[in-house]
């Protein structure tokens, strides 16, 4: 299972990013080992339109299974729903690693 | 002859001017009145009972899931995020689609065809033998107003005089309405924000190469800055309609000012003459 977290930077120490489609990075964890396997640079972040669905397609192609973020817009929401990717809000987490730990602890609220 | 009635923002009385101008003209000649404010059409409030002339459609992709290999090409191509290739299916979000046809071209296995999708409708009524009213109406929740405006203009196309009630603002729908117009009447109110909106609308008409003139509506007799702007830009002030209880009351009843007040019938007939004069057309 791949769990990805929207992030302002490319490491587990980075601050999680509230925006889903326009996040600068996605930090991807392998759920089995608990290790970070990848930080994806979001190439759609500055596109004029349709950012949410484009990002969903990209995550699907990377085999992401779970998303943790702040907020999801309507168009991306639809994509995540159809793609069957459960999505959680990181809430109070101060770092990407905190958000991942909270997800593992089962304390995050599911938003999609 | 296409006369567009426009304004930089809504609520200036643009529709009132268009409806009265068309009514006054229809007393002496045949007229088409075309409502191009597809997002908020109002002309039909004056002339209800328009007959459905058929839907306005745009072309959208349809994916044949038998042929589709989920290769991802269409979704990567679409810059509007309207088509996304997911784990087991291709998802299409119609409200994001700009009907560019690119996804169809990008599909390596020809799994995509174009199908029509309704976004609005055209209505037509003939309230008098000399007046034809055509409205372009965008469906609730749709965004492609320019496509509906284009269809309304085509439905009203003829050799005679057409009065087009334009959408407010200065974005794509207004540009679509002004496209191919001979002259533009800009309706404004004598307030500072009204002047800012007038400036934008005037500059748009100028950029499109359409001569224009100004109608000041609900004038409080303190039109100094507006008049100075018109003077500076060489925009003729074609008509000033005062802020007046009686006029407001007629409007509120949904009645046509010209049909009740002989002096306004003459004023709007004169507005037409003066508008035509700006185009340099003497006929
Ligand atoms: S027609 Fe154009 S805008 Fe619509 S889905 Fe295809 S590529 Fe995207
Ligand atoms: S480009 Fe064609 S084959 Fe590839 S995902 Fe889109 S519809 Fe399917």
């Amino acid at each position: 299972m791949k769990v990805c977290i929207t992030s302002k930077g490319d490491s587990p120490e980075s601050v999680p990013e509230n925006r889903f489609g326009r996040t600068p990075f996605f930090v991807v964890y392998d759920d089995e080992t608990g290790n970070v396997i990848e930080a994806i640079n979001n190439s759609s972040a500055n596109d004029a339109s349709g950012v949410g669905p484009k990002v969903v397609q990209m995550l699907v192609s990377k085999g992401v299974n779970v998303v943790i973020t702040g907020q999801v817009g309507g168009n991306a929401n639809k994509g995540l729903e159809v793609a069957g990717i459960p999505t959680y809000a990181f809430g109070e987490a101060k770092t990407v690693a905190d958000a991942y730990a909270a997800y593992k602890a089962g304390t995050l609220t599911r938003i999609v | 002859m296409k006369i567009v009635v426009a304004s930089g923002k809504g609520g200036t009385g643009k529709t009132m001017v268009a409806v009265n101008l068309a009514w006054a003209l229809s007393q002496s000649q045949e007229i088409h009145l075309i409502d191009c404010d597809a997002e908020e059409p109002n002309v039909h409030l004056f002339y209800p009972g328009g007959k459905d002339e058929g839907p306005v459609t745009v072309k959208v992709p349809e994916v044949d899931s038998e042929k589709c290999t989920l290769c991802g090409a269409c979704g990567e191509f679409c810059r509007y995020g309207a088509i996304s290739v997911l784990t087991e299916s291709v998802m299409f979000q119609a409200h994001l689609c700009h009907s560019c046809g690119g996804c169809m071209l990008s599909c390596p296995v020809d799994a995509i065809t174009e199908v029509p999708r309704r976004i609005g409708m055209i209505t037509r009524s003939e309230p008098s033998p000399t007046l034809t009213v055509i409205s372009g109406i965008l469906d609730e929740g749709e965004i492609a107003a320019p496509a509906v405006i284009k269809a309304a203009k085509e439905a009203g196309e003829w050799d005679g005089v057409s009065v087009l009630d334009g959408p407010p603002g200065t974005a794509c729908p207004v540009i679509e309405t002004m496209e191919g117009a001979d002259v533009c009447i800009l309706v404004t109110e004598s307030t500072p924000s009204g002047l800012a909106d007038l400036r934008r609308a005037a500059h748009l008409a100028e950029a499109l190469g359409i001569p224009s003139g100004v109608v000041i509506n609900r004038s409080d007799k303190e039109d100094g800055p507006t008049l100075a702007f018109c003077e500076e830009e060489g925009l003729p002030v074609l008509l000033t309609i005062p802020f007046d209880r009686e006029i407001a009351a007629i409007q509120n009843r949904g009645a046509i000012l010209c049909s009740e007040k002989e002096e306004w019938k003459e004023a709007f007939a004169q507005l037409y003459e003066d508008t035509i004069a700006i185009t340099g057309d003497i006929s």
Side-chain angles (χ1 to χ4, degrees):
Chain A
M1 284 258 287
K2 287 186 181 177
V3 177
C4 96
I5 300 166
T6 56
S7 169
K8 292 189 190 297
D10 60 2
S11 88
E13 309 317 317
S14 307
V15 177
E17 166 65 48
N18 194 43
R19 300 165 303 167
F20 171 71
R22 298 197 181 277
T23 183
F25 293 95
F26 294 93
V27 175
V28 185
Y29 280 83
D30 177 348
D31 199 18
E32 272 90 64
T33 63
N35 294 331
V36 170
I37 43 177
E38 192 181 3
I40 305 168
N41 196 334
N42 180 12
S43 59
S44 303
N46 297 317
D47 287 4
S49 61
V51 178
K54 281 189 264 192
V55 166
V56 175
Q57 171 164 342
M58 186 273 290
L59 295 179
V60 166
S61 73
K62 295 262 183 191
V64 165
N65 309 93
V66 174
V67 166
I68 300 170
T69 186
Q71 283 174 357
V72 179
N75 301 323
N77 192 307
K78 181 96 187 293
L80 290 164
E81 199 182 306
V82 175
I85 299 179
T87 303
Y88 298 84
F90 55 70
E92 302 297 302
K94 296 280 180 290
T95 65
V96 168
D98 282 354
Y100 180 71
Y103 164 71
K104 291 300 279 181
T107 59
L108 297 185
T109 309
R110 184 155 170 188
I111 52 176
V112 176
Chain B
M1 169 69 56
K2 286 200 189 79
I3 304 170
V4 170
V5 182
S7 74
K9 68 159 174 132
T12 55
K14 174 178 58 60
T15 301
M16 183 278 252
V17 171
V19 165
N20 276 280
L21 177 61
W23 188 93
L25 288 176
S26 74
Q27 303 307 299
S28 60
Q29 58 178 297
E30 249 188 83
I31 289 294
H32 284 185
L33 171 58
I34 307 174
D35 193 347
C36 294
D37 190 356
E39 283 165 270
E40 240 173 284
N42 277 329
V43 171
H44 66 95
L45 300 178
F46 294 89
Y47 296 112
K51 278 200 306 292
D52 190 342
E53 287 271 290
V56 179
T57 61
V58 291
K59 286 192 174 131
V60 296
E62 190 172 76
V63 176
D64 179 345
S65 57
E66 299 283 304
K67 285 191 193 168
C68 173
T69 60
L70 297 172
C71 75
C74 54
E76 271 154 37
F77 178 86
C78 181
R79 44 195 195 103
Y80 305 108
I83 193 161
S84 327
V85 184
L86 305 176
T87 336
E88 285 162 10
S89 61
V90 175
M91 181 180 70
F92 176 63
Q93 301 200 68
H95 65 283
L96 299 175
C97 180
H98 284 58
S99 299
C100 71
C103 51
M104 188 173 69
L105 297 175
S106 69
C107 179
V109 296
D110 290 334
I112 302 181
T113 48
E114 284 182 327
V115 295
R117 189 177 76 84
R118 180 193 153 118
I119 57 160
M121 67 191 286
I122 302 295
T123 65
R124 180 191 293 261
S125 65
E126 271 144 30
S128 83
T130 50
L131 181 59
T132 301
V133 178
I134 290 151
S135 298
I137 305 169
L138 188 69
D139 284 346
E140 186 90 30
E142 294 295 340
I143 50 162
V148 174
I149 293 167
K150 191 158 183 258
K153 285 169 71 182
E154 278 165 13
E157 186 66 48
W158 73 314
D159 289 338
V161 177
S162 296
V163 175
L164 282 66
D165 182 17
T170 45
C172 307
V174 188
I175 295 171
E176 177 62 53
T177 307
M178 287 187 177
E179 190 83 42
D182 297 286
V183 62
C184 198
I185 296 174
L186 306 170
V187 182
T188 187
E189 286 178 327
S190 42
T191 60
S193 74
L195 181 54
D197 295 321
L198 173 63
R199 180 176 284 124
R200 277 203 301 273
H203 289 163
L204 176 63
E206 196 187 345
L208 295 172
I210 304 166
S212 44
V214 172
V215 168
I216 303 176
N217 190 27
R218 285 195 282 263
S219 166
D220 55 7
K221 301 201 177 69
E222 283 166 25
D223 303 333
T226 306
L227 295 174
F229 169 77
C230 292
E231 171 89 44
E232 211 173 282
E233 299 276 322
L235 288 170
V237 175
L238 303 164
L239 180 67
T240 300
I241 305 168
F243 184 78
D244 175 281
R245 284 255 166 90
E246 201 188 350
I247 294 177
I250 293 173
Q251 297 274 93
N252 284 343
R253 273 193 278 122
I256 295 167
L257 180 60
C258 285
S259 71
E260 306 214 349
K261 294 267 160 196
E262 187 63 26
E263 70 264 32
W264 284 107
K265 179 178 152 187
E266 277 161 26
F268 275 91
Q270 188 61 45
L271 169 63
Y272 174 68
E273 297 299 329
D274 294 344
T275 303
I276 295 306
I278 320 176
T279 67
D281 195 333
I282 321 136
S283 62

